[in-house]
Amino acid sequence: MPTVSSEELAAAAGVNSAKLRKDFSYLGSYGTRGVGYDVEYLVYQISRELGLTQDWPVVIVGIGNLGAALANYGGFASRGFRVAALIDADAAMAGKPVAGIPVQHTDDLEKIIKDNGVSIGVIATPAGAAQQVCDRLVAAGVTSILNFAPTVLSVPDGVDVRKVDLSIELQILAFHEQRKAGEEAASDGAGPAAVTREESARSADQGPDGDVPAVMPA
Amino acid sequence: MPTVSSEELAAAAGVNSAKLRKDFSYLGSYGTRGVGYDVEYLVYQISRELGLTQDWPVVIVGIGNLGAALANYGGFASRGFRVAALIDADAAMAGKPVAGIPVQHTDDLEKIIKDNGVSIGVIATPAGAAQQVCDRLVAAGVTSILNFAPTVLSVPDGVDVRKVDLSIELQILAFHEQRKAGEEAASDGAGPAAVTREESARSADQGPDGDVPAVMPA
DNA sequence: ATGTCTTTGTGAACGCGTGCACAAAGATGG
DNA sequence: CCATCTTTGTGCACGCGTTCACAAAGACAT
C-alpha cells in the first residue's frame, strides 16, 4: 500500500507538517501512526471534500474574448466543472459554436438554467450588463456567481459572489516592481513612507493570496 | 479644503477606522487632528505609493482568446498600465491588429522588451510554451510576470511571478455550493468531516482573498 | 509477547494582526 | 489667550491561526 508521511507532503508543499496533519484531521481522514497516509484514500477524501468528484454544470454569460477564453479553458473539466451552456445577448452569435458548444441567446437564460440544474454562473459581459444578468441568474436559481465584469454586484443573502479583477494582479506586480526600483534610492534613509519591504518567506509563492492587505500593501 | 475623516472612510469601505488610520500612518500621510485627511493630498499619496502615477508598459505574450481579452480589457489604462506590445508565436498573426495594437512575432521579443523598457510581462500562452517564454522574458530584463498558463513557472531570485488560475475561483464557489447543499443533510450530526461553515462577517466580500487556506478550506 | 521505532493527532505556547481606548494635537469660538 | 471640541496617531490587550512538542498508537522485528 503506497503511503506518504505528513513530513514528506509538507516538504513538497512548502508548509508546516503539523498544520498539514491538523488540517487533515478536520477532514476525518485517518492516517496510520508509524506509517503515514494511504495515498489513494487520501486523494479520494480530499477530492470528495473539495467537490472534485461531483459534476458542476456551469453557464458562461457573455461570449466575447473572455467568455470564449473561459469556454476553451482546459482546466475546468479536470476539476469537476462542465460548461453546460454559453449565453450571449448578440442574436447573431446564436447557434455558432464556441469551443464546440453552440451559443444560445439570452432570452432562453431561465430555461437553460433550469433544464440543466445549474447553480453556478460565470459573468463575462461588459460592465453595463453585469448586474442585469446577475439578477436574472439569481432569479432563475443560481446561487454562486463568478464575476469578471468590473462591477461590484449586489445579490440577496445566500448567494455567493466572487469578483475577479484581472488588473489587480498586475497592480500588485507593479507595486512590488516599484519597490524594487525605489530600494536603492530609499537606502539613504531619508524621506517619509519608507516602508520596509520584507522578502516573502516562501520564494515559490505564486498564489493570489493576501500579499497585499485590503487598504495598504505590506 | 475638502477633507474626510477616518471614520467616514472606514464606514464607506467597511473596515475598522483604527486600522485605516494605522495603515495611513505607515504611508507617512499626515492627517490633521480635529479635521481629517485632505482628500486631494490623500488621493495623490496613495496613488503614488501604489504606483498609479507611474506609466507601466506591459507586454502580453500569447494572443489567443485570453490574450485578446486582456488586450481589450479597459481597466488597465486607468491604473497606469499601457499595453506596449502584443506578441505571438503564430507568424500568420503578425501585423494583424488586436485592440488596435499590431501583433508582433516572438522572434522580436527581446528587442521589443528593450526598446520599450518593459519590466512587466503577461503570459497567456498554452501551458507548454509558458516556461520557455518566461525564460526569454526574464533574460530580456523582465522582472515581474503575470502567468495565466496552468503551469508553475520557475524563475531566478529577484523575479516576481503571480499565477492566475481561472478555475480556482470556480473551485471556491463550488466548495461553498457543496456546503450549502450538504447543510441540511449534515444537520443530523452524524458522519465525519462535519466541518462547520461560518458565515463571512463581511457579506460584501467579493475579493480573491484568503477565504480558503492553502491546504484546507475554512 | 514484548520492545523499539516511526508517525500521527493534539494540547499548549507563541506570534501577529486587529480593534479598543485614550492621550496628544490642532482647529474653532468666545 | 484660553477653553472646548473634534479627530488623529498609537500603546495595549484580545483573539486567532500557526507552530512546537509530546503522548498515544500502531507497525515491525526479535
Side-chain angles (χ1 to χ4, degrees):
Chain A
M1 184 178 83
T3 59
V4 270
S5 68
S6 63
E7 201 63 56
E8 292 173 273
L9 278 175
V15 298
N16 182 283
S17 67
K19 174 166 162 48
L20 198 144
R21 285 199 298 278
K22 196 164 276 185
D23 284 352
F24 281 2
S25 77
Y26 293 144
L27 275 177
S29 69
Y30 289 165
T32 310
R33 302 184 184 212
V35 176
Y37 298 88
D38 173 26
V39 172
E40 194 178 350
Y41 183 63
L42 187 61
V43 167
Y44 166 73
Q45 278 278 359
I46 295 177
S47 295
R48 194 172 54 84
E49 185 66 20
L50 258 43
L52 266 54
T53 57
Q54 265 179 275
D55 175 75
W56 294 105
V58 302
V59 295
I60 302 175
V61 187
I63 313 301
N65 278 309
L66 183 56
L70 290 169
N72 280 300
Y73 190 67
F76 288 159
S78 62
R79 303 204 177 187
F81 297 107
R82 178 170 49 84
V83 179
L86 305 178
I87 301 176
D88 198 281
D90 183 4
M93 290 201 68
K96 275 208 302 184
V98 170
I101 303 165
V103 176
Q104 298 179 263
H105 192 264
T106 320
D107 287 349
D108 303 324
L109 188 145
E110 286 77 9
K111 180 170 162 48
I112 297 166
I113 299 290
K114 277 163 187 154
D115 287 357
N116 292 278
V118 172
S119 58
I120 302 179
V122 178
I123 296 180
T125 66
Q131 182 64 57
Q132 193 184 343
V133 166
C134 172
D135 292 343
R136 288 183 64 186
L137 286 173
V138 170
V142 166
T143 49
S144 289
I145 289 176
L146 184 58
N147 177 33
F148 284 91
T151 326
V152 173
L153 298 173
S154 56
V155 291
D157 279 358
V159 177
D160 277 338
V161 177
R162 297 193 68 85
K163 184 177 187 309
V164 177
D165 182 340
L166 297 174
S167 68
I168 278 188
E169 297 293 323
L170 265 184
Q171 190 83 64
I172 294 171
L173 281 177
F175 178 77
H176 288 320
E177 195 66 33
Q178 183 176 233
R179 281 295 165 73
K180 287 183 204 166
E183 216 133 78
E184 57 269 18
S187 61
D188 60 359
V195 188
T196 50
R197 172 168 185 265
E198 68 244 278
E199 278 299 324
S200 169
R202 285 181 55 209
S203 60
D205 179 16
Q206 301 191 357
D209 296 327
D211 281 15
V212 177
V215 178
M216 251 303 294
Chain B
M1 185 177 83
T3 58
V4 269
S5 68
S6 62
E7 202 62 56
E8 294 174 271
L9 278 174
V15 298
N16 181 282
S17 67
K19 173 166 163 48
L20 198 143
R21 285 199 297 277
K22 198 166 275 184
D23 284 353
F24 281 2
S25 77
Y26 293 145
L27 275 178
S29 71
Y30 289 165
T32 310
R33 301 183 183 211
V35 177
Y37 298 89
D38 173 27
V39 171
E40 194 179 349
Y41 184 62
L42 187 63
V43 167
Y44 167 74
Q45 277 277 359
I46 295 177
S47 296
R48 195 173 54 85
E49 185 67 20
L50 257 42
L52 266 54
T53 57
Q54 265 178 275
D55 175 75
W56 294 106
V58 302
V59 296
I60 302 175
V61 187
I63 313 302
N65 278 309
L66 183 56
L70 291 169
N72 280 300
Y73 189 66
F76 288 158
S78 62
R79 303 204 176 188
F81 297 108
R82 178 170 50 83
V83 179
L86 306 177
I87 301 176
D88 199 282
D90 183 1
M93 290 201 68
K96 276 207 301 186
V98 171
I101 303 165
V103 176
Q104 298 178 263
H105 192 263
T106 319
D107 287 349
D108 302 324
L109 188 145
E110 285 78 9
K111 181 170 162 47
I112 297 166
I113 300 290
K114 277 163 187 154
D115 287 356
N116 292 279
V118 173
S119 58
I120 302 179
V122 177
I123 296 180
T125 65
Q131 182 64 57
Q132 193 184 343
V133 167
C134 172
D135 291 343
R136 289 182 64 185
L137 287 173
V138 170
V142 166
T143 49
S144 289
I145 289 176
L146 184 58
N147 178 33
F148 286 91
T151 325
V152 174
L153 298 173
S154 55
V155 291
D157 279 357
V159 176
D160 276 340
V161 177
R162 296 194 69 86
K163 186 177 185 310
V164 177
D165 183 341
L166 298 174
S167 68
I168 277 187
E169 298 293 323
L170 265 184
Q171 189 84 65
I172 294 170
L173 281 177
F175 179 77
H176 288 320
E177 195 66 31
Q178 183 176 232
R179 280 293 164 75
K180 287 183 203 167
E183 217 133 77
E184 58 271 16
S187 62
D188 59 359
V195 187
T196 52
R197 171 169 187 265
E198 69 244 277
E199 276 300 323
S200 169
R202 286 180 54 208
S203 60
D205 179 17
Q206 302 191 359
D209 296 328
D211 281 16
V212 178
V215 178
M216 251 302 294

